[in-house]
Amino acid sequence: MDFYFNCYAELGLQRYMVSDRPRTDAFAAAIKEALEGGETVIDVGTGSGLLAMLAAKAGAEKVYALDQSAVAEAARETVERNGMSQRIEVVKGNAAGFQVAEPVDLIISEWLGHFAFAETMLDDVIDCRDANLKEGGRMLPCGVELKLAPVGSDVLYMQDGPGFWKKQVHGIDFSHLEGRELEQALAVKTEVHPDDLIGPAKGLFGLDLAKAKKEDVWQSGRVEMEIKHDGELNGFAGWFVAELTPSVILDTGPAHEITHWMQTYFPISPIPVKAGETLEVCFDLTRHPVEERSLLMSLTVGDSSYSFTVG
Amino acid sequence: MDFYFNCYAELGLQRYMVSDRPRTDAFAAAIKEALEGGETVIDVGTGSGLLAMLAAKAGAEKVYALDQSAVAEAARETVERNGMSQRIEVVKGNAAGFQVAEPVDLIISEWLGHFAFAETMLDDVIDCRDANLKEGGRMLPCGVELKLAPVGSDVLYMQDGPGFWKKQVHGIDFSHLEGRELEQALAVKTEVHPDDLIGPAKGLFGLDLAKAKKEDVWQSGRVEMEIKHDGELNGFAGWFVAELTPSVILDTGPAHEITHWMQTYFPISPIPVKAGETLEVCFDLTRHPVEERSLLMSLTVGDSSYSFTVG
């Protein structure tokens, strides 16, 4: 826990997020759209304070900007320097336990992690919502959906993935490490290109963040994956689409400008596939049993099952 | 400690190192050159087992391949599959406490971390050397030198560094974060291009690994930096040059093919400079007081001092 919040005290990490243009521009547009003037707002995990200040600029009357990390102190100074101290109250503390006197109109939070749910920060946002959001109040983002698409990629699997071990290195045979690395089942945060996909993405599930309960994140299900190209299926690409407002969508998929979330590659032992084929894929997303704030994403295709750590 | 060795059990990390071509090719060439046939060898931190197997291929009669991580088990299987079990003994355990019956001719170790000394693995290599290297035996690498060069780079400082905060973001002024981020003084592992440098590199100090003591890593000193271009000094680039054998040099500087070590960027508050000028830079490299296996690199130029964490 301490390590988690400590890392957000690093201004280099804050800069990494603020300088992610598709992310920051989408939140800026959504905040502008969501506020008419006079609203009360909570920003959960304010970090640099940017979203709270954009809410104040968009007309919010009062913004509670919460952060548990030491960055709260820097955010407070930024708020002062921008002349917004009257309207923004930076609160250093735990969002899950925060209780405001009057329920608020809007809760903003950029709680999104790797494959949306890594870091499991949504738990705190939901607690904060249940304690502080007015009846009929809104969440920003208001929805999130997970996507999964079939991958057949020489770069992801052979060059930068377990398939690397197939080739000898200076005459040494490492080929048995391919299977061992697949068994370790680490999901990789990387850039997936549209050409790496051999079929369209399917939605796994979506959440309505005005209503979702904590346990709604942990879902299992089944999707039919269509294959559009002959070749080899050697994994899946995952990402999220966040609905910031009904008209401002932040899509972190391969067809969109890259963000700091990139995409998630789940490598699997290659399976020959043919165009027109349909594959049934079962998934099961759970909390990681050992690594706090990580996810366990189980994927089953044919006879093979993998339990991927998404950290 | 456990976390440190656990991470090397990940085959993805082993692959990341083995697939670093300049690194792997240089070690392969050096091992070939260092062995004539019939020697005894220790490989400290064998990981995938690659360097131990290259030593056996180059004629070593007996190789002790040591690793404290669970990867030792995979290395043992690779050795077997390559028919080298007679000559390579994989030992899972601590190199610092390893004691062989007969002193060996050569100790190989790819102990190099970020800015050479991060991870502080050299301590274990030195203990292993003092306990096991024959009088007149050799070390591979046999030497290492740290380099530092003056940087004047818009990309490193303004776009991807503390200077980012100078520009408003959606009308919000974050400029005070530039100084705060500089105070946090995190050295950044990144790719430095030759064009980012505004003067030649200077050697800080070198170690002869046949003789170096653990405390020899922690040195301070003073270098004169020549400035070749008018502009702004906004940091320093650091890297290491490893002498694997007297004729095989692994130079991880910006003028050479990029390796997984990349370079280290130390951002400082910009100082206007003129071509022909000479700047005195004082350095002091110490163990990090808090973060195990990290370094503290103090740099003083003019009136300004920075204590960088190199993790």
Side-chain angles (χ1 to χ4, degrees), chain A residues 185-266:
Chain A
L186 289 183
V188 183
K189 178 179 163 180
T190 189
E191 185 167 358
V192 175
H193 293 275
D195 288 353
D196 294 324
L197 306 184
I198 54 171
K202 288 295 179 95
L204 298 183
F205 64 89
L207 296 183
D208 173 350
L209 294 167
K211 298 176 191 160
K213 298 190 182 74
K214 289 182 197 177
E215 58 267 30
D216 293 344
V217 172
W218 314 114
Q219 298 207 12
S220 57
R222 205 166 51 90
V223 286
E224 302 284 333
M225 290 265 171
E226 295 164 53
I227 302 297
K228 297 286 192 189
H229 305 282
D230 290 351
E232 223 176 53
L233 173 77
N234 53 28
F236 298 94
W239 64 87
F240 66 83
V241 179
E243 190 180 325
L244 303 190
T245 64
S247 64
V248 181
I249 306 298
L250 176 61
D251 188 330
T252 64
H256 296 263
E257 196 181 342
I258 190 80
T259 68
H260 78 284
W261 290 286
M262 301 193 209
Q263 288 86 32
T264 307
Y265 173 51
F266 301 95

Side-chain angles (χ1 to χ4, degrees), chain B residues 38-292:
Chain B
E39 292 91 343
T40 52
V41 176
I42 295 174
D43 177 19
V44 178
T46 197
S48 66
L50 176 60
L51 303 188
M53 289 183 278
L54 292 178
K57 278 187 67 158
E61 189 186 300
K62 177 78 188 182
V63 184
Y64 301 92
L66 317 184
D67 210 293
Q68 193 155 350
S69 131
V71 76
E73 200 261 306
R76 193 175 290 126
E77 184 175 340
T78 308
V79 165
E80 271 168 31
R81 285 169 173 264
N82 284 275
M84 297 181 177
S85 299
Q86 297 302 315
R87 287 197 286 156
I88 301 178
E89 186 176 334
V90 177
V91 181
K92 184 174 184 304
N94 180 241
F98 181 71
Q99 183 79 54
V100 74
E102 282 282 311
V104 300
D105 299 299
L106 177 69
I107 294 180
I108 299 172
S109 180
E110 201 281 72
W111 55 266
L112 296 151
H114 187 195
F115 202 45
F117 301 111
E119 301 184 27
T120 63
M121 179 177 157
L122 182 59
D123 287 352
D124 288 354
V125 177
I126 288 174
D127 281 336
C128 187
R129 178 199 67 192
D130 291 346
N132 299 295
L133 189 63
K134 184 178 286 186
E135 179 79 29
R138 280 168 305 152
M139 299 293 289
L140 189 168
C142 58
V144 65
E145 187 182 16
L146 286 184
K147 297 281 194 178
L148 198 72
V151 164
S153 166
D154 261 12
V155 172
L156 292 174
Y157 190 78
M158 292 295 292
Q159 183 181 307
D160 295 334
F164 168 82
W165 300 114
K166 282 183 198 283
K167 287 163 292 183
Q168 292 202 345
V169 180
H170 287 278
I172 308 291
D173 171 19
F174 285 103
S175 57
H176 75 108
L177 297 185
E178 181 187 7
R180 280 182 181 255
E181 187 177 339
L182 285 167
E183 277 167 30
Q184 292 187 343
L186 290 183
V188 183
K189 179 178 163 180
T190 188
E191 185 167 358
V192 175
H193 293 275
D195 287 353
D196 294 324
L197 306 184
I198 55 171
K202 288 295 179 93
L204 298 183
F205 63 89
L207 296 183
D208 173 350
L209 294 167
K211 298 175 190 160
K213 298 189 182 74
K214 289 182 197 177
E215 58 267 30
D216 293 345
V217 172
W218 315 113
Q219 298 207 12
S220 57
R222 205 167 52 89
V223 286
E224 303 284 333
M225 291 265 171
E226 295 164 53
I227 303 297
K228 298 285 193 189
H229 305 282
D230 290 351
E232 223 176 54
L233 173 77
N234 53 29
F236 297 94
W239 64 88
F240 66 83
V241 179
E243 191 181 325
L244 303 190
T245 64
S247 64
V248 181
I249 306 298
L250 176 61
D251 188 330
T252 64
H256 296 263
E257 196 182 341
I258 190 81
T259 68
H260 79 283
W261 290 286
M262 301 193 209
Q263 288 87 33
T264 307
Y265 173 52
F266 301 96
I268 69 165
S269 187
I271 298 171
V273 289
K274 290 224 166 299
E277 207 179 318
T278 296
L279 288 169
E280 187 182 277
V281 179
C282 296
F283 70 91
D284 184 17
L285 185 65
T286 55
R287 288 183 199 275
H288 198 283
V290 179
E291 294 176 31
E292 209 183 357

Side-chain angles (χ1 to χ4, degrees), chain A residues 15 77-78 176 180-181, chain B residues 15 77-78 176 180-181:
Chain A
R15 175 167 47 74
E77 185 176 339
T78 308
H176 75 109
R180 280 183 181 255
E181 187 177 338
Chain B
R15 175 166 48 73
E77 184 175 340
T78 308
H176 75 108
R180 280 182 181 255
E181 187 177 339

Side-chain angles (χ1 to χ4, degrees), chain A:
Chain A
M1 283 289 278
D2 282 334
F3 175 76
Y4 177 69
F5 291 109
N6 278 344
C7 80
Y8 282 101
E10 286 179 10
L11 291 168
L13 178 58
Q14 295 296 335
R15 175 167 47 74
Y16 180 63
M17 295 187 292
V18 170
S19 66
D20 175 349
R21 226 185 34 70
R23 165 198 180 272
T24 296
D25 289 357
F27 272 89
I31 288 168
K32 218 164 175 175
E33 191 191 284
L35 294 169
E36 294 186 342
E39 293 92 343
T40 53
V41 176
I42 295 174
D43 177 19
V44 178
T46 197
S48 66
L50 176 60
L51 304 188
M53 290 183 278
L54 292 178
K57 277 187 68 159
E61 188 186 300
K62 177 79 187 182
V63 184
Y64 301 92
L66 316 184
D67 209 294
Q68 193 155 350
S69 132
V71 76
E73 200 262 306
R76 193 175 290 127
E77 185 176 339
T78 308
V79 165
E80 271 168 32
R81 284 169 174 264
N82 283 274
M84 297 181 177
S85 299
Q86 297 302 314
R87 287 197 286 156
I88 301 178
E89 186 176 334
V90 177
V91 181
K92 183 174 184 304
N94 180 242
F98 181 72
Q99 183 78 55
V100 75
E102 281 283 310
V104 300
D105 299 299
L106 177 69
I107 293 180
I108 299 172
S109 180
E110 201 281 71
W111 54 266
L112 295 151
H114 186 196
F115 203 46
F117 301 111
E119 303 184 26
T120 61
M121 179 178 158
L122 183 59
D123 287 352
D124 288 355
V125 176
I126 289 174
D127 280 337
C128 187
R129 177 200 68 192
D130 291 346
N132 298 295
L133 188 64
K134 183 178 288 187
E135 178 79 29
R138 279 168 306 151
M139 299 294 288
L140 189 168
C142 59
V144 65
E145 187 183 16
L146 286 184
K147 298 280 195 179
L148 198 73
V151 164
S153 166
D154 261 12
V155 172
L156 292 174
Y157 190 79
M158 292 295 292
Q159 182 181 307
D160 295 333
F164 168 82
W165 300 114
K166 283 182 199 284
K167 287 164 292 183
Q168 292 203 345
V169 180
H170 287 277
I172 308 291
D173 171 20
F174 285 103
S175 57
H176 75 109
L177 296 185
E178 181 187 7
R180 280 183 181 255
E181 187 177 338
L182 285 166
E183 277 168 30
Q184 291 187 343
L186 289 183
V188 183
K189 178 179 163 180
T190 189
E191 185 167 358
V192 175
H193 293 275
D195 288 353
D196 294 324
L197 306 184
I198 54 171
K202 288 295 179 95
L204 298 183
F205 64 89
L207 296 183
D208 173 350
L209 294 167
K211 298 176 191 160
K213 298 190 182 74
K214 289 182 197 177
E215 58 267 30
D216 293 344
V217 172
W218 314 114
Q219 298 207 12
S220 57
R222 205 166 51 90
V223 286
E224 302 284 333
M225 290 265 171
E226 295 164 53
I227 302 297
K228 297 286 192 189
H229 305 282
D230 290 351
E232 223 176 53
L233 173 77
N234 53 28
F236 298 94
W239 64 87
F240 66 83
V241 179
E243 190 180 325
L244 303 190
T245 64
S247 64
V248 181
I249 306 298
L250 176 61
D251 188 330
T252 64
H256 296 263
E257 196 181 342
I258 190 80
T259 68
H260 78 284
W261 290 286
M262 301 193 209
Q263 288 86 32
T264 307
Y265 173 51
F266 301 95
I268 68 164
S269 187
I271 298 171
V273 289
K274 290 225 165 299
E277 208 179 318
T278 295
L279 287 169
E280 187 182 276
V281 179
C282 296
F283 70 91
D284 184 17
L285 185 65
T286 55
R287 288 183 199 273
H288 197 283
V290 179
E291 294 176 30
E292 209 183 358
R293 297 191 173 273
S294 292
L295 316 176
L296 202 67
M297 176 66 165
S298 297
L299 291 173
T300 302
V301 51
D303 300 333
S304 304
S305 268
Y306 301 86
S307 287
F308 289 98
T309 296
V310 185

